[in-house]
C-alpha cells in the first residue's frame, strides 16, 4: 500500500509524463519493480498512459475508497491510520465487530463499496448500493463504563454535520442519530458494543452517508425520506475525500469525549440540534409521546415535558 501511495503521489504531483527511471531512483527500487506497481495500480482501476522514452502519466483514478486515497485527506493520529477496504461485505459493522474481537486496535476502519445486509437502527435495513455512498465502521476502545457510551452516537453525528457543512450545505441533527438536509435523512450512525465486567471492550461506530446516489437509484420507500449530497447539490463527490475529512472530524470530537467529557459532547449536540424548548412527538414501540423537549441526558435519552411531567425517552423516532 505504501509503495502504491508513493507512486501515485509522484504521478499526481507531476501531472505529466514522469520516467520510471526517475521514480525508481527517488524511491530506491528497481525499474522492474516500478513496472510491477504500475500494473497493480492499473488493475485497481487507474488509467495510466505509457509512452516509450517518456514514462507514465496518470490520466484518471477510479472513485474508490482505497486506504491510500482516504489517507490523502486524513489528518488524524489514530482514527483511520489503518483502513480495511472491501468491495463487498455483509455489513461493515459485522466485519469490524469480528476484527475487534480478534484484537484489532482502536482507530481501525472498515470501508466497503457495497453491503449485502447493511444494518440500520432498530433492526432496519440500510440501503447499500455499490460505489455510490459511504459505508464505514470504526473500532473505538474507550476506557469507560457502558452507561457512558451513548454520546459517541452524538459525536459521530457532529462529525458528519461538520463534514457536510464544510461542503457548503446546511445539515440539521435529529435525535437520536440522524443527519438531515432539507428535512430528509442523508446519514445515520449505528453504535454496537461489546462489554466485559462493567467495562467497554470496544465500540463499533457504523456510519452510512449517502453521497452520489440519485433519486432513481433509491427504492420507492426511502425516496420520500432520504437524500444524498448529489441530490442536494447536483454535484458528484469524491467519496475518499468525504471519508478522510469525516474521519478527521470524528477524531476531533472523540478527543473532546475522551479528554474533556461526554457532557461536553452532549451539550454541543444539544445546541447544534437546537432541540431544547421544541415541541416533539416521539414514537417508541407504538406508544406516542408529545411534549416540550427539556434537553438530552448523558445517557442519550430525551427529556420530554408532557403536561408538566418530565418523561425520559431512551429510544424511538422523532416527528417534528
Ligand atoms: C440508522 O439507522 O440511521 C443507522 C444506519 C447505519 C448504517 C451504517 S452503513 C455502515 C455501517 N454498517 C452497517 O451495517 N450499518 C452501518
Amino acid at each position: 500500500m505504501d509503495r502504491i501511495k508513493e507512486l501515485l503521489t509522484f504521478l499526481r504531483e507531476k501531472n505529466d509524463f514522469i520516467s520510471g527511471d526517475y521514480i525508481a531512483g527517488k524511491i530506491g527500487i528497481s525499474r522492474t519493480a516500478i513496472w510491477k506497481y504500475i500494473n497493480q495500480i492499473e488493475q485497481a482501476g487507474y488509467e495510466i498512459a505509457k509512452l516509450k522514452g517518456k514514462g507514465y502519466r496518470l490520466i484518471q483514478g477510479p472513485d474508490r475508497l482505497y486506504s491510500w486515497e482516504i489517507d490523502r485527506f486524513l489528518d488524524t493520529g489514530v482514527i483511520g491510520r489503518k483502513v480495511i477496504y472491501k468491495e463487498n461485505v455483509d455489513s461493515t459493522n459485522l466485519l469490524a465487530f469480528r476484527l475487534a474481537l480478534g484484537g484489532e486496535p482502536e482507530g481501525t476502519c472498515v470501508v466497503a463499496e457495497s453491503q449485502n445486509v447493511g444494518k440500520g437502527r432498530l433492526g432496519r435495513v440500510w440501503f447499500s448500493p455499490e460505489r455510490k455512498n459511504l459505508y464505514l465502521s470504526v473500532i473505538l476502545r474507550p476506557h469507560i463504563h457502558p452507561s457512558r457510551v451513548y454520546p459517541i452516537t452524538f459525536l459521530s453525528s457532529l462529525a458528519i454535520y461538520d463534514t457536510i457543512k464544510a461542503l457548503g450545505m446546511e445539515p440539521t441533527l435529529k435525535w437520536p442519530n440522524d443527519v438531515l438536509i432539507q428535512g430528509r435523512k442523508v446519514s445515520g450512525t449505528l453504535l454496537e458494543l461489546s462489554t466485559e465486567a462493567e467495562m467497554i471492550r470496544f465500540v463499533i461506530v457504523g456510519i452510512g452517508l449517502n453521497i452520489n446516489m440519485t433519486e432513481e437509484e433509491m427504492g420507492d420507500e426511502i425516496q420520500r425520506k432520504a437524500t444524498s449530497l448529489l441530490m442536494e447539490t447536483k454535484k458528484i463527490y469524491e467519496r475518499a475525500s468525504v471519508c478522510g475529512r469525516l474521519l478527521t472530524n470524528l477524531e476531533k470530537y472523540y478527543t473532546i469525549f475522551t479528554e474533556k467529557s461526554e457532557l461536553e459532547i452532549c451539550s454541543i449536540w444539544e445546541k447544534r440540534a437546537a432541540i431544547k424548548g421544541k415541541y416533539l412527538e416521539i414514537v417508541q414501540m407504538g406508544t406516542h409521546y408529545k411534549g416540550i423537549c427539556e434537553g438530552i441526558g448523558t445517557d442519550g435519552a430525551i427529556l420530554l415535558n408532557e403536561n408538566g411531567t418530565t418523561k425520559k425517552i431512551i429510544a424511538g423516532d422523532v416527528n417534528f
Side-chain angles (χ1 to χ4, degrees), residues 90-94 110 115 117-122 124-126 128 134-137 177-178 185 187-192 205-209:
D90 45 5
S91 143
T92 55
N93 262 34
L94 285 173
V110 177
Q115 303 183 111
V117 284
K119 299 201 287 175
R121 208 167 56 89
L122 306 173
R124 293 172 186 144
V125 170
W126 189 258
S128 312
L134 183 62
Y135 317 115
L136 162 76
S137 298
N177 66 340
D178 294 354
K185 181 159 170 170
S187 180
T189 298
L190 178 68
L191 223 60
E192 295 189 278
V205 185
I207 298 174
L209 171 59

Side-chain angles (χ1 to χ4, degrees), residues 201-216:
R201 223 190 282 153
F202 58 82
V203 184
I204 305 297
V205 185
I207 298 174
L209 171 59
N210 297 337
I211 300 187
N212 293 326
M213 188 159 65
T214 62
E215 198 150 0
E216 296 72 50

Side-chain angles (χ1 to χ4, degrees), residues 166-233:
L167 292 171
M169 284 159 265
E170 283 301 328
T172 51
L173 298 174
K174 182 177 162 193
W175 184 84
N177 66 340
D178 294 354
V179 182
L180 317 179
I181 306 178
Q182 305 283 358
R184 288 177 165 201
K185 181 159 170 170
V186 70
S187 180
T189 298
L190 178 68
L191 223 60
E192 295 189 278
L193 56 149
S194 164
T195 56
E196 179 186 75
E198 300 283 290
M199 283 300 285
I200 295 277
R201 223 190 282 153
F202 58 82
V203 184
I204 305 297
V205 185
I207 298 174
L209 171 59
N210 297 337
I211 300 187
N212 293 326
M213 188 159 65
T214 62
E215 198 150 0
E216 296 72 50
E217 282 159 344
M218 288 185 187
D220 280 350
E221 202 197 319
I222 62 166
Q223 226 175 56
R224 282 171 286 119
K225 297 185 197 156
T227 189
S228 69
L229 303 186
L230 165 73
M231 280 163 66
E232 293 303 317
T233 58

